[in-house]
Amino acid sequence: MASAQKSNTNILVEGANALMLDIDYGTYPFVTSSATGTGGAISGLGLSPFKIKHIIGVVKAYTTRVGG
């Protein structure tokens, strides 16, 4: 990541978890162990927030769960 950022290479990040699974904002106890939003991608991947030019969010209007 560091070398890609230094060379101004485009980086595409995809997240499979949503805010309802976020450790801080999700519906406890059905959460994951980390932050799932943009901030989680920045800290988890070591991205510089100053180098982000575009964020595209895709959402659905309802909550679903699997299993149980």
Side-chain angles (χ1 to χ4, degrees), residues 6-25:
K6 286 180 185 176
S7 65
N8 289 322
T9 300
N10 289 330
I11 300 171
L12 175 65
V13 177
E14 176 188 11
N17 293 327
L19 193 61
M20 297 300 282
L21 295 175
D22 188 270
I23 187 70
D24 296 315
Y25 303 106

Side-chain angles (χ1 to χ4, degrees), residues 1-63:
M1 286 299 194
S3 63
Q5 288 181 85
K6 286 180 185 176
S7 65
N8 289 322
T9 300
N10 289 330
I11 300 171
L12 175 65
V13 177
E14 176 188 11
N17 293 327
L19 193 61
M20 297 300 282
L21 295 175
D22 188 270
I23 187 70
D24 296 315
Y25 303 106
T27 52
Y28 184 82
F30 308 104
V31 296
T32 187
S33 62
S34 57
T36 61
T38 305
I42 291 170
S43 63
L45 296 173
L47 297 173
S48 169
F50 300 106
K51 294 215 173 226
I52 295 175
K53 295 181 182 174
H54 304 286
I55 296 174
I56 299 172
V58 178
V59 298
K60 62 181 182 179
Y62 53 91
T63 303

